[in-house]
Amino acid sequence: MKVIIIGASLSGLFTAYLLAKEGVEVEVYDKTDILGWPPRTLIVTRELENVLDFFPEESIINEVWYIELFSRSKSARLELSSPDLVIERERLVKSLARLAEDAGTEVKLLHQFEGFAKFGKKVAVHFRNLETNEEVQTSTDVLVGADGGLSAVSGGDSRNGHRLTALLQAKVFLHEQRDSSTCQVWFDSNHTKYFYWLIPESEQTAIVGLIADDACQTGVCLTRFLQNRHLEPLEFQSAMVPMHRFGFAGEVLSNDRNIFVVGDAAAQVKVTTVGGVVTGLHGAKALAHAILNGRNYTKALWELKIELNLHLLIRQVLNRFSQVDYDELLGLIKGEFKDILEKWNRDELTQSFLRLIWTEPRLIKLGAKALLKSFLQ
Ligand SMILES: Cc1cc2nc3c(=O)[nH]c(=O)nc-3n(C[C@H](O)[C@H](O)[C@H](O)COP(=O)(O)OP(=O)(O)OC[C@H]3O[C@@H](n4cnc5c(N)ncnc54)[C@H](O)[C@@H]3O)c2cc1C
């Protein structure tokens, strides 16, 4: 069996590695000329190690043990039971590429996917070689789109109906030396339904960013935020990230079950934090398992879908939160509720969701109030 994967980034290369090590013939194509480009600092939970089945030591630039949360007039500090990992995407992409290539995958850069056509059980795939500008055509048994939020495999701009949200972050130099094990998050619903963050890379540099619904808004808000804190940007990192939605079943693109999408291309993103690394790797694992065992990919994704849907449920409520609601929420973070937030990470919502509500029933009242207010407005 031959598998062609479009996109040599995290979800594409991990799928390639899992398939190639079981003897599948795999080719991965990417339009860029440098793996992992452009640079991006990411924060992920320790679930990264579980999903990869190894600890990606060389990609990790820092560990975060504390998260400080701020609303207009309240704050809370969480001490995590296992640290979040700050990673450099390029390093993780390169190490996954090495693993995939060692297992027999062929990685071809400067090849832009331009379309596919089905003939019988096979798929003809068209590329443009960006070095020579020549058209290239090849065929495969299985085509996988791991080509990000604007996936051409899943239909380009239609993105399978997913909404995109803008993520912008700046690398900043820290004038005062600060504790590199503490990440900070600010909720300010006047500027964004999401939040601002500061993720330390070291004692000298950090990543400061925000998520908002449109790219212009992120630019204006981030510039103001940095100016207010006398932080000078060294470089910016940005892109549009797709948002998971309820009832999505578009990860299988053909009745013959031989054209799939994974990672951001399938919007496998936690919409509370707009984090897609761990969830995209879980998607890759489910896809590789389905291809290798002739199983249904959609069914193999059910655990991930539950997790993503719980994040979406919480996001629907948070989208309606005012500054007063965030003050109230942060005021609740103590005792057993705080313990649960510290013990279970944000990739374990399936395990912690009911515990959180059971321990702090005022969450339901807070959520219901925010929903009701938004319906009455
Ligand atoms: C600034 C920023 C910060 C983020 N921070 C975090 C974070 O802290 N934690 C977290 O979990 N997530 C974070 N995310 C989200 C996370 O980066 C993505 O969810 C994840 O990288 C998606 O990986 P992927 O492999 O699915 O897709 P991508 O990394 O988008 O890879 C898609 C690949 O496909 C290639 N490609 C696209 N079109 C074509 C084509 N036509 N032909 C050939 N190749 C093509 C691209 O060149 C690219 O290499 C962040 C996103 C941004 C933008």
Side-chain angles (χ1 to χ4, degrees), residues 150-355:
L150 297 173
S151 171
V153 176
S154 79
D157 282 347
S158 80
R159 305 175 305 265
N160 264 324
H162 292 295
R163 209 163 49 75
L164 292 176
T165 200
L167 217 153
L168 175 66
Q169 57 186 27
K171 187 174 185 143
V172 296
F173 183 72
L174 300 167
H175 297 289
E176 301 155 25
Q177 215 176 37
R178 50 158 81 215
D179 170 21
S180 64
S181 64
T182 303
C183 164
Q184 293 174 309
V185 172
W186 293 265
F187 298 105
D188 179 353
S189 55
N190 285 349
H191 292 157
T192 171
K193 323 192 271 212
Y194 298 85
F195 48 84
Y196 292 89
W197 63 84
L198 182 146
I199 303 164
E201 289 185 328
S202 65
E203 284 175 359
Q204 285 81 40
T205 61
I207 293 293
V208 179
L210 91 151
I211 313 160
D213 278 339
D214 78 88
C216 283
Q217 194 191 344
T218 54
V220 174
C221 291
L222 187 59
T223 307
R224 200 178 313 133
F225 189 84
L226 293 174
Q227 279 168 356
N228 289 344
R229 281 161 182 77
H230 309 291
L231 293 168
E232 221 167 282
L234 302 171
E235 69 179 46
F236 286 97
Q237 307 171 359
S238 71
M240 302 300 285
V241 181
M243 305 294 274
H244 170 73
R245 61 190 166 88
F246 287 124
F248 174 66
E251 48 287 288
V252 182
L253 301 180
S254 82
N255 293 337
D256 293 329
R257 299 211 170 135
N258 58 354
I259 308 175
F260 308 101
V261 282
V262 68
D264 271 21
Q268 290 164 349
V269 174
K270 299 188 289 283
V271 297
T272 46
T273 56
V274 192
V277 172
V278 168
T279 43
L281 295 172
H282 272 299
K285 217 167 190 176
L287 177 57
H289 174 78
I291 293 174
L292 289 169
N293 300 296
R295 301 283 289 277
N296 183 322
Y297 175 39
T298 310
K299 280 197 183 144
L301 283 173
W302 74 272
E303 273 185 42
L304 177 62
K305 288 281 182 82
I306 293 175
E307 184 79 16
L308 293 177
N309 285 340
L310 286 174
H311 281 274
L312 184 51
L313 187 70
I314 293 177
R315 170 58 42 218
Q316 299 289 337
V317 175
L318 291 180
N319 282 351
R320 291 161 173 88
F321 262 33
S322 64
Q323 311 244 44
V324 177
D325 296 323
Y326 274 114
D327 282 345
E328 208 175 314
L329 178 66
L330 264 56
L332 295 177
I333 301 182
K334 46 188 162 240
E336 220 183 310
F337 178 50
K338 180 167 179 277
D339 293 345
I340 297 173
L341 289 175
E342 292 176 335
K343 180 172 176 204
W344 305 91
N345 67 49
R346 56 194 178 282
D347 285 302
E348 297 171 323
L349 199 53
T350 316
Q351 286 104 303
S352 62
F353 185 73
L354 289 178
R355 285 184 171 89

Side-chain angles (χ1 to χ4, degrees), residues 2 20 24 29 61 74 89 127 133-134 247 291 306 309 347 370:
K2 177 175 168 184
V24 176
Y29 291 83
I61 52 179
K74 287 269 168 39
R89 180 177 70 145
F127 296 97
N133 203 28
E134 278 167 10
I291 293 174
I306 293 175
N309 285 340
D347 285 302

Side-chain angles (χ1 to χ4, degrees), residues 19 36 40 46 66 72 99 101 106 117 121 128 132 168 256 328 352 361 373-374:
L19 292 173
R40 200 180 283 172
R46 278 300 280 255
Y66 305 95
R72 193 181 48 176
L99 280 175
E101 284 178 318
E106 206 178 326
K121 296 245 175 235
R128 182 160 300 277
T132 61
L168 175 66
D256 293 329
E328 208 175 314
S352 62
K373 245 185 329 184
S374 85

Side-chain angles (χ1 to χ4, degrees), residues 7 9-11 30-31 40 42-43 113 147 167 239 264 275-277:
S9 186
L10 301 174
S11 45
D30 203 291
K31 61 183 178 185
R40 200 180 283 172
L42 309 164
I43 186 163
F113 167 83
D147 51 343
L167 217 153
D264 271 21
V277 172

Side-chain angles (χ1 to χ4, degrees), residues 78-98:
L78 301 174
E79 182 177 349
L80 307 178
S81 60
S82 58
D84 275 1
L85 306 171
V86 182
I87 57 172
E88 171 44 63
R89 180 177 70 145
E90 186 180 354
R91 292 193 209 167
L92 186 57
V93 168
K94 286 191 167 143
S95 51
L96 287 177
R98 224 171 13 252

